[in-house]
């Protein structure tokens, strides 16, 4: 499969290298860079967004999708949307280097156990349209459009992990993000970073012992074929932000901005239902094609990890200052409120 071989060696693939010449009317072609391959949650989201936009503009706009691998590695995608070489992109764990506040979504145990509740809170006007959230992207030449949870982050490992002691000496690959590394160090593991497309060979060669993904990604990237355990601690959801180049977005007419807003609002429920189903279906495929052991942590077992994760919130605030602190508090308050708290 193309992503397994030479993705990183290919380095930054300029769009010209994809066989395209510069489009004289870039407004009409909206290029959309994805961090995941065809069939993934990001792909399904982008495919539906494309349908909506092309339909509502009567074909005046073409949304062109670039699945993972076509634009280089993950940070190459962010560079290209910041520079305006592409107009739209998803950004998740590796985005922390560009938008430090986005690492909020890497913190463990800050959301509820109810995925739909979390999705609604994240996409509420109170959070998604808050000045702090929007400005954290706009200050880096980006504009956030939607927040897309893609399923629970599940540990893939070569041994059963139920306690921090079980994590001792486990080389776990995380996305390139200081908070994730700190979280897994706090859990007792030895975190290391590697590109998404290198994980399979990293596992095969024994460079890493474990890694973290939503179920659909364990399946579509074949990671489950080289792992013995899938472990659910429900410590975090995988969350990506759908974002645009800021200046490009600002240059859209009000009519087009409204069309984009309507599309992302419609997509909230659509992608939630799709990701839940996709993750369930992919788990069935994994079970059919392997003898992997599935483990679910008990509440007591989760509590030990929850406790160890708490100091990492301070690191987030140290790194992101008052704005990060306000965002963290806002999210915690809104989740509590949605759960029926004060
Ligand atoms: O682990 C990663 O690097 C990637 N995993 C997923 C499910 N999406 C994109 C992300 O970069």
């Amino acid at each position: 499969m193309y992503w397994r071989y030479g993705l990183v060696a290919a380095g930054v693939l300029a769009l010209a290298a994809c066989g395209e010449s510069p489009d004289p009317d870039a407004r009409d072609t909206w290029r959309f860079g994805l961090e995941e391959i065809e069939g993934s949650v990001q792909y399904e989201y982008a495919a539906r967004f494309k349908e909506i936009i092309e339909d509502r503009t009567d074909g005046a706009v073409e949304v062109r999708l670039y699945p993972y691998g076509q634009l280089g590695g993950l940070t190459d995608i962010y560079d290209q949307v910041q520079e305006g070489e592409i107009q739209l992109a998803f950004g998740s764990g590796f985005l922390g280097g560009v938008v430090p506040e986005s690492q909020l979504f890497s913190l463990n145990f800050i959301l509820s156990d109810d995925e739909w509740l979390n999705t609604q809170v994240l996409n509420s006007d109170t959070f998604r349209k808050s000045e702090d959230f929007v400005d954290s992207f706009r200050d880096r030449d980006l504009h956030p459009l939607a927040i897309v949870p893609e399923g629970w982050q599940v540990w893939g490992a070569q041994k059963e992990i139920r306690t921090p002691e079980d994590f001792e000496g486990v080389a776990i690959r995380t996305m390139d993000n200081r908070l994730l590394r700190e979280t897994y160090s706090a859990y007792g593991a030895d975190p290391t970073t590697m590109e998404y497309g290198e994980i399979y060979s990293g596992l095969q060669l024994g460079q890493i012992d474990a890694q973290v993904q939503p179920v659909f990604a364990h399946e579509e990237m074949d990671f489950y074929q080289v792992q013995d355990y899938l472990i659910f601690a429900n410590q975090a959801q995988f969350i990506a932000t759908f974002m645009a180049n800021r200046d490009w977005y600002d240059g859209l007419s009000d009519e087009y901005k409204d069309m984009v807003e309507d599309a992302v609002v419609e997509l909230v429920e659509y992608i939630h239902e799709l990701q839940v189903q996709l993750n369930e279906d992919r788990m069935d495929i994994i079970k059919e094609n392997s003898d992997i052991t599935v483990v679910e942590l008990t509440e007591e077992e989760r509590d030990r990890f929850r406790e160890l994760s708490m100091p990492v919130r301070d690191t987030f605030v140290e790194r992101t200052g008052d704005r990060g602190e306000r965002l963290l508090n806002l999210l915690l308050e809104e989740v509590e409120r949605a759960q029926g708290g004060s």
Side-chain angles (χ1 to χ4, degrees):
M1 275 170 258
Y2 71 87
W3 45 264
R4 201 178 296 159
Y5 308 103
L7 161 72
V8 176
V12 182
L13 294 182
L15 287 167
C18 298
E20 289 179 32
S21 51
D23 190 333
D25 187 3
R27 266 289 166 75
D28 293 335
T29 304
W30 296 5
R31 298 188 175 87
F32 191 166
L34 313 181
E35 299 175 300
E36 295 167 2
I37 63 172
E38 239 179 285
S40 63
V41 174
Q42 289 188 7
Y43 186 88
E44 295 299 332
Y45 185 101
R48 183 71 192 122
F49 179 80
K50 173 182 168 67
E51 263 174 29
I52 294 173
I53 299 299
E54 291 182 357
D55 183 49
R56 292 186 191 164
T57 59
D58 243 339
V61 170
E62 180 199 356
V63 181
R64 209 173 285 171
L65 310 187
Y66 296 90
Y68 179 60
Q70 291 190 9
L71 300 176
L74 294 164
T75 53
D76 298 322
I77 301 172
Y78 315 146
D79 287 347
Q80 289 171 61
V81 69
Q82 278 183 298
E83 293 299 321
E85 289 159 19
I86 60 174
Q87 289 70 39
L88 301 163
F90 272 113
S92 58
F94 278 66
L95 189 66
V98 178
V99 183
E101 293 83 349
S102 72
Q103 293 185 62
L104 176 60
F105 303 142
S106 295
L107 289 173
N108 283 195
F109 296 105
I110 59 165
L111 297 171
S112 80
D113 291 344
D114 179 339
E115 286 192 276
W116 177 229
L117 181 147
N118 299 334
T119 300
Q120 287 175 290
V121 167
L122 289 162
N123 283 288
S124 64
D125 287 357
T126 313
F127 185 80
R128 174 178 67 104
K129 291 191 178 170
S130 69
E131 204 179 323
D132 284 327
F133 186 68
V134 173
D135 284 353
S136 65
F137 284 76
R138 289 187 65 83
D139 286 354
R140 284 89 189 199
D141 302 328
L142 300 166
H143 182 90
L145 297 171
I147 303 170
V148 183
E150 301 186 23
W152 293 110
Q153 284 283 55
V154 180
W155 299 328
Q158 312 301 28
K159 64 180 234 189
E160 186 166 16
I161 295 170
R162 287 186 171 275
T163 65
E165 291 73 28
D166 294 333
F167 256 134
E168 258 169 51
V170 172
I172 187 164
R173 177 271 181 186
T174 68
M175 292 182 284
D176 187 12
N177 170 322
R178 180 169 157 207
L179 294 191
L180 284 173
R181 284 192 290 273
E182 266 195 34
T183 301
Y184 283 93
S185 294
Y187 291 169
D190 297 333
T192 183
T193 293
M194 97 182 12
E195 176 71 36
Y196 192 35
E198 289 182 331
I199 298 175
Y200 181 91
S201 58
L203 288 165
Q204 222 179 13
L205 298 171
Q207 293 164 334
I208 50 170
D209 309 311
Q211 47 90 38
V212 200
Q213 300 294 338
V215 170
F216 79 86
H218 283 287
E219 193 279 326
E220 71 189 10
M221 299 298 277
D222 293 340
F223 302 150
Y224 76 98
Q225 292 180 1
V226 281
Q227 300 255 259
D228 296 328
Y229 289 84
L230 279 183
I231 302 154
F232 287 77
N234 287 18
Q235 76 289 0
Q237 285 173 263
F238 180 94
I239 297 174
T241 304
F242 174 31
M243 55 197 186
N245 172 274
R246 184 195 58 202
D247 294 345
W248 172 83
Y249 177 79
D250 289 349
L252 290 179
S253 65
D254 287 346
E255 191 194 344
Y256 271 22
K257 280 188 186 135
D258 289 348
M259 176 181 65
V260 168
E261 175 64 12
D262 289 349
V264 299
V265 168
E266 280 173 44
L267 277 164
V268 172
E269 193 167 353
Y270 172 85
I271 202 62
H272 168 73
E273 285 173 5
L274 189 141
Q275 70 86 357
V276 169
Q277 193 60 51
L278 191 69
N279 279 304
E280 274 177 31
D281 293 348
R282 297 289 176 86
M283 182 51 101
D284 291 342
I285 295 174
I286 291 175
K287 284 181 177 163
E288 267 164 38
N289 294 315
S290 73
D291 51 9
I292 206 155
T293 305
V294 178
V295 174
E296 278 180 36
L297 266 55
T298 64
E299 276 312 307
E300 292 70 36
E301 287 166 337
R302 290 179 72 211
D303 280 346
R304 289 198 61 202
F305 290 105
R306 188 193 313 274
E307 202 181 315
L308 290 169
S309 74
M310 289 298 162
V312 186
R313 294 182 183 187
D314 298 335
T315 309
F316 173 74
V317 171
E318 273 161 33
R319 176 136 164 66
T320 56
D322 291 347
R323 181 156 71 188
E325 187 169 20
R326 286 195 300 270
L327 277 171
L328 172 61
N329 289 336
L330 178 63
L331 187 54
L332 293 172
E333 280 160 23
E334 288 302 304
V335 168
E336 196 182 328
R337 208 157 60 86
Q339 285 179 299
S342 55

